[in-house]
Amino acid sequence: MTISACDTRERATCATCKACCCRLEVMLMGDDDIPPELTEQDRWGGWIMARREDGWCAALDRKTMLCTIYAQRPMICGEYQAGDDDCLDQRRLHHID
């Protein structure tokens, strides 16, 4: 059995999760200071974090699975709770046996 980066059997923390939440759409708020090349406008005219063709956030380093702009990440990312129900749902969704 192969254990994916989002294995639901280990305790969910930002250090162990390997960025499962980085496949979610991230809406940007007025105070977010994100490099423009990492953002895009959604179909309603709002600004969101851009995602690459593979569905992962444009700010995610695919080798380390860590955020490249962690110190200035969007407010919504900073408030996302590792280990809560949505986090665990994302881990299950991306779990590969």
Side-chain angles (χ1 to χ4, degrees):
M1 168 169 67
T2 302
I3 298 174
S4 78
C6 300
D7 186 1
T8 58
R9 290 174 291 186
E10 65 183 51
R11 186 174 174 277
T13 69
C14 288
T16 62
C17 186
K18 300 296 185 186
C20 295
C21 59
C22 292
R23 293 185 65 91
L24 298 171
E25 184 170 286
V26 175
M27 294 173 35
L28 300 177
M29 305 298 167
D31 291 340
D32 289 331
D33 184 25
I34 307 303
E37 65 273 13
L38 298 177
T39 67
E40 61 188 23
Q41 226 171 359
D42 65 17
R43 60 182 164 191
W44 299 281
W47 288 94
I48 59 174
M49 288 298 296
R51 288 193 273 175
R52 302 289 183 227
E53 289 181 18
D54 62 4
W56 292 95
C57 177
L60 183 68
D61 180 317
R62 301 313 187 286
K63 291 180 182 171
T64 64
M65 296 305 280
L66 297 173
C67 180
T68 61
I69 60 166
Y70 188 82
Q72 69 184 88
R73 69 194 182 279
M75 180 183 70
I76 199 168
C77 295
E79 291 180 352
Y80 195 84
Q81 295 295 308
D84 74 0
D85 288 340
D86 189 56
C87 171
L88 295 175
D89 287 345
Q90 290 301 311
R91 290 168 65 94
R92 282 188 287 276
L93 179 66
H94 297 292
H95 178 72
I96 302 168
D97 282 332

